[in-house]
Amino acid sequence: MQRLLLLFFVALAVLLPILAQAAGMEYYIGVLTRILIFAIVASSLNFILGYGGMVSFGHAVFFGLGAYATAIASFHGVTSAWVIWLLAALVSALAGLAIGAIALRTRAVYFIMITMALAQLFYYFFVGFRYYGGDDGIQINGRPVLGLGLDISGDNGFYWLVLAWLLAVHALLARLLKSRFGLALNAMRENERRAQAVGYPTLRYKLAAFVIAAVIAGIAGSLIGMSNLFASPKLLHWSQSGILLVMVALGGVGYFYGGILGAAVFLLLEEILSTHFEYWQIYVGLILLLVVMVAPRGVSSLMSIGKTLKQGEQHGA
Amino acid sequence: MANLIFEQVLNSLQFGVMLFLIASGLTLIFGVMNFVNLAHGSFFMIGAYLAAYIAGATGSFWLGLLGALPLTAALGFLLEWLVFRRLYKKDHMVHVLATFAFILIFNDGVRMIWGPQPLPLNMPAAFAGPVMLFGLPYSSFRLLVMAVGIAVAIGLYLLINRTRLGMWVRAGANNLEMVTAMGINIRLLFRLVFSFGLVLAALAGIMLGPLVAVQAGMGDDVLILAFVVVVIGGIGSVPGAAVGALIVGVVDTLGRGLLPQLFALFLSADAAASVGPALGSMMIYLVMIAVLFWRPSGLFPARS
Amino acid sequence: MAHDALPISSALSVKGLKKSYGGLAATRDVDLEIAPGHVHAIIGPNGAGKTTLLSLLSGALAADAGEVFLFGETMHGRAEQARVKAGLARSFQITSVFDELTVLENLQVAVQRRQHVSYGFFHGSAQDKEAREAALSVARRVGLEKFAHQLSSQLSHGARRRLDVGLAIACKPRVLLMDEPMAGMGHEESGEMIALIQSLKQELTVVLVEHDMDAVFALADRITVLVQGAVLATGSVDEIRNNAEVKLAYLGEEEEDGKEMREETQ
């Protein structure tokens, strides 16, 4: 049953641009593309947060690095989207290794604060880097080329590209969560002490998860760069990481569709609220507060959708 | 050049002392209640706004100060009672989200009430002019800020180390279970620690108000620095916060103030203009990483 | 005891193990020789440092000084996971399992670590037949096969203790460190645990920290008495039972406690 529902939604997502055009609502294709991109990065955060238990306040760094990799590569004449994605992945992986190696040795409160501070390191780096725009950010002249006879320079083409990435990323995450690695990660989140006592080098496992999440976020960042044709230090700021955490929380931490739902809910809220209220952040804050107090497990817990992967899907019973 | 260095050094001490006010409250809230309070920076901002409003209406900085503090305390008390006390036992993630929500609410809130432009908060007339120190002029207001900060620091020291209440706070930061078992009214202790911490942050905001712009989001960047102070100093430790604040204040101010000049000495003006400020802002985070490598729990962690 | 020759006949050989916290000495110059296939009990009054000793042996805690050899292999200075790999595993006094996983998944976590070197990013855990079978056989061993697909958080206290032991067994250790496996168990459950430990003697060596004197006397081949972090005496069951010093320092009060405990749980 769930398979059928999933297929339905995927089909709907594929047809959305065409439906939107038919209804004369082309504007919303851009909004939807944005939602899909944030769904990817939110899901990557959900992976380390919900399954790894790591409250990272620096996840936006990888998002921003992906955008900057795209911008800087384009600036220097790279036009192939594939090369750009490779660069974005590489840069994010290295940053993930560096930040993870430092931050993952700490726990709880320290981890939160250190990821926040390390994010600021990267933020100020780009603010100070005047050659690539500094505080003002850097423009990207034209979308990179995908090749394969597919045109992503238009809204529709780019939307489908992002959708393809979204599906690929979630297929990967689903595979990971059901794998030996996923089981081990789950166990470590449950009881790290015991995981070590049965022989796991927990730091290395958490680092692996952290880097995987960083790479996915980097790809998403590259996509947002291609979408906006712009990269700015604000993408790396700790408040941007905060927004990512809010998305995952709204969607449901640890639930498989938490990232997608959270991104959708948050961005739709933002879209709707900002057109009606000038000070819409107050309402977002109040809604977040409400969710935290009343439905702490997010939207996913209110529907029975995508129940926690740890229950039911790993049993194979 | 000597003038500049002299000024920067004093500025860094002044900033350090203010950071201590903010960080000490933050570290106690972390240490005693194990609560991650992102909204701490917002109270820095709220204190400044309330003072600016009252000072604007009455024409007196001092009335602004005296009015803003109890108002902030009351607000803190109210929020703790309404929202935060229900969250202590929960995940850090929940703390982060709830307090982040308040950052959003407060940032737009102050814009809604007072508009998007910065609110002016003028120094008290008596301290508007410079004072001569060792033959060099220095802002008398900044000296006042330092004096206030040091006075509060001494007061805090006495409170924490010489009173019963302070003893319970220290014990709570070290081992909360034991304190609970000894029959202390934990709820009241928490509420006091929370509100007091926020008032300190507000005081810092009020004192710095005339020097920086009183505007939405002014607390966000200061919050991060306060976090760095807490991490370097060690969670739950007020002396740690003092040392950390001094380190951060000095490194950050001197880093951002002097490094560009330093680079200008042997790099081209262009390169210095881009590398200098960047490295200056990054300095403190590099220092934090260095400290953590050497002492993963900070310099003076309160918990054993 | 001669310290120069390395007795390779020892399953676990401990020399001069020390650990201090500030001014407090938790473990003072502990020497142990544990023969293969034995159940070597470590007893002592509360605060004797028994759990600390086990943590030092397992590698969870770094010792200040001293040497630990597992069948002649150097353990001291090596991290916990390396020791697990070499064949030294541990069960906990306060039950430590993976709450939100089923019994089978719990055991699978331990088994898959032993069986596979790789992280297994793309190998499905549900499809891991080898690991599932091994996990199931451990579950049978500790009498939990009926609960294989139940969440461990839903098990009774006794069942959780058995799972705790099961996790250690799943590592296929050569030496098993057990920290008060009988803790909080009733008479019948204790009997089952004793039978389990008895059966383990065939395959491995057990270092048993326990307060339950019935179990100790029933199981132990040798006993070491630990008082305030130092070894007071080591010997056979009878030697220890008849040791005046031991009786004075420990057995006297403990028997009272043991009697009380047994009366309560009946």
Side-chain angles (χ1 to χ4, degrees), chain A residues 172 175-176 178-181 183-184 187 190-191 193-201 204-205 212 314-315, chain C residues 60 81 84 90 92 96-100 102 105 109 112-113 116 118-123 125 128 132 164:
Chain A
L172 173 71
R175 194 77 192 272
L176 278 177
K178 296 187 203 176
S179 72
R180 291 205 309 262
F181 178 75
L183 181 61
E190 278 295 314
N191 189 341
R193 193 60 209 79
R194 197 58 202 260
Q196 288 169 338
V198 298
Y200 281 97
R204 268 184 260 158
Y205 271 73
I212 292 171
Q314 264 186 335
H315 292 337
Chain C
Q81 329 109 255
V84 173
R90 173 212 185 144
F92 289 77
S96 178
V97 299
F98 306 114
D99 286 330
E100 292 302 310
T102 63
E105 285 168 344
V109 170
Q112 78 178 23
R113 176 63 192 164
H116 304 277
S118 70
Y119 286 70
F121 291 116
F122 296 110
H123 294 95
S125 65
D128 194 348
R132 295 225 131 198
D164 190 291

